Amino acid sequence: MNSELLRVIVADDSGTVRALLRQWLSPELGFEIVGEAVNGRQCVELVLRLRPAIVVMDMDMPEMNGVEATREIMWRQPTPILIFTSSEIDKDRGVFYEALAAGALDIFYKPRLTNDEEVNLATSRFRRLLKLLAPIKMIRRCLPRPLTAEPAVLVPAWPARPQRLPEILAIAASTGGPAALSAVLSQLPPGFPLCTLVVQHMAAEFMPGFVEWLGQGVKVPVRAASRGELARPGEVLVAPGDCHMRLGAGGRVELDVSAPVNSCRPSADVLFDSVAEASGPAAMGVILTGMGEDGARGLLNMRRAGALTIAQAEESCVVYGMPKAAADRGAAVHVMELGEIVRFISTLASPVGDL
């Protein structure tokens, strides 16, 4: 029986929270808390010694915070990490996205313990999420160098710079997306000639902070899309939380709260389908790391409409789900490592020549 339990390490300096998690993750419910840490350093030591299936970690801890601990774990013993945090995040939003960029898989709010209905809903969602994240095979990340530090290596399938430059760049990502998107957008030069439309699967309450974090260190404007605005070159528009984003007639952005597609809102398929219809061959679609199949069908429609389409290769994905679905359907003209995608997109700003 014990071999079937999901082995968890809990890291939180609050004894109350650790006691709560012991209730939520009891053996009767299929979990075993194999270690408890009160700071990030202790958490890293427990992960190295006990090798759990997943880590549930607070961000604000003494000695070593959650971001630093996440980086250490991803370097020394890559393990799925779920951030378990207070909902009062406005005081320092960036720390959570730094943790996601460092390799943490998702963020979960600590519920208000005074609201029984909220607690019951949260416990069920929390356990489902742990079971979903725990099987993910994590990638070792080097501490000293950022994701894009090494120049990409040309491969035989390297695409020539298109003779007709696209006008729209549509990008979709899910699990692992914050780091991948940051790697891509940070390399866009000032005056990048395309409008970039982004769908990132993330809880709505985290999206404003995510957009703000994503724009740090980027040389082009990054903001949440607004209904009816024109998709202008040199700007990055991110789908707001819990809203589908479409490219409509005349290059204007459309937002709506129609039913989720592939259990997602915003949905990559919704964005890609609209770009295929509105821009046809004057577009480029990129599907990055993520769980599930959202975006595969829409990317195929973009390819059929004449767009250049790219899926991230398995080796650089945190989760090879969405890109795999796209590749399996024949939706991607090219399957490329993240560094290669970054380099190719950045060349679209060059006025002359192929790669």
Side-chain angles (χ1 to χ4, degrees):
M1 173 66 178
N2 284 347
S3 62
E4 300 174 2
L5 299 179
L6 190 63
R7 302 175 73 250
V8 183
I9 282 177
V10 170
D12 199 300
D13 59 337
S14 167
T16 301
V17 171
R18 295 197 306 276
L20 174 69
L21 289 172
R22 284 195 293 272
Q23 294 177 15
W24 286 14
L25 305 177
S26 66
E28 293 78 14
L29 295 168
F31 299 88
E32 179 186 9
I33 296 180
V34 296
E36 295 184 19
V38 298
N39 60 59
R41 191 174 306 283
Q42 190 177 58
C43 179
V44 173
E45 293 170 355
L46 288 175
V47 169
L48 294 176
R49 180 159 54 89
L50 300 175
R51 305 208 171 190
I54 193 166
V55 176
V56 177
M57 187 189 300
D58 188 24
M59 287 289 95
D60 187 13
M61 295 183 292
E63 291 193 38
M64 179 185 283
N65 66 28
V67 175
E68 295 166 342
T70 297
R71 291 190 181 118
E72 284 281 340
I73 290 168
M74 290 304 154
W75 174 49
R76 302 176 69 180
Q77 182 61 47
T79 305
I81 296 174
L82 175 63
I83 301 169
F84 190 57
T85 180
S86 167
S87 59
E88 297 180 2
I89 63 174
D90 287 346
K91 61 181 180 180
D92 190 13
R93 290 182 169 193
V95 67
F96 302 103
Y97 311 107
E98 289 296 333
L100 290 173
L105 292 178
D106 212 335
I107 308 171
F108 195 92
Y109 273 154
K110 296 173 183 176
R112 295 172 297 173
L113 300 182
T114 55
N115 187 323
D116 290 341
E117 182 178 358
E118 182 178 327
V119 170
N120 290 335
L121 287 172
T123 55
S124 178
R125 287 191 296 109
F126 182 73
R127 286 191 287 262
R128 285 200 304 270
L129 185 57
L130 285 184
K131 291 178 180 178
L132 191 65
L133 298 179
I136 293 174
K137 184 178 179 181
M138 303 304 297
I139 300 171
R140 185 177 302 277
R141 295 170 182 241
C142 296
L143 282 178
R145 291 184 287 185
L147 190 57
T148 58
E150 293 188 2
V153 178
L154 294 181
V155 295
W158 182 265
R161 185 174 181 271
Q163 292 183 346
R164 175 188 177 183
L165 284 182
E167 300 168 1
I168 297 291
L169 170 61
I171 307 178
S174 185
T175 309
L181 285 169
S182 179
V184 171
L185 298 183
S186 66
Q187 299 304 305
L188 299 184
F192 184 66
L194 284 65
C195 179
T196 303
L197 304 177
V198 175
V199 162
Q200 166 68 52
H201 296 161
M202 185 176 289
E205 56 265 31
F206 291 104
M207 285 305 296
F210 170 68
V211 174
E212 181 180 344
W213 172 83
L214 192 61
Q216 295 175 3
V218 176
K219 303 178 187 69
V220 297
V222 178
R223 66 175 186 275
S226 298
R227 182 178 286 107
E229 74 171 302
L230 192 63
R232 294 181 176 87
E235 296 185 340
V236 177
L237 303 179
V238 183
D242 207 27
C243 281
H244 290 309
M245 179 169 68
R246 293 177 171 85
L247 182 64
R252 294 196 176 274
V253 172
E254 300 175 356
L255 303 175
D256 68 67
V257 290
S258 56
V261 176
N262 304 313
S263 301
C264 300
R265 191 172 62 200
S267 163
D269 272 334
V270 169
L271 174 63
F272 288 160
D273 283 345
S274 71
V275 172
E277 182 175 350
S279 297
M284 176 177 172
V286 178
I287 193 163
L288 299 174
T289 174
M291 198 178 304
E293 299 186 356
D294 188 37
R297 186 202 69 225
L299 197 71
L300 179 59
N301 287 337
M302 286 188 67
R303 180 174 186 178
R304 287 171 173 167
L308 175 62
T309 56
I310 295 174
Q312 186 176 349
E314 181 176 8
E315 290 75 13
S316 60
C317 282
V318 173
V319 181
Y320 190 54
M322 289 162 53
K324 181 179 187 300
D328 288 349
R329 288 190 183 208
V333 177
H334 299 281
V335 177
M336 304 166 69
E337 296 293 337
L338 181 60
E340 295 163 357
I341 296 173
V342 169
R343 184 176 176 217
F344 177 70
I345 291 175
S346 67
T347 66
L348 298 180
S350 174
V352 292
D354 290 347
L355 290 176

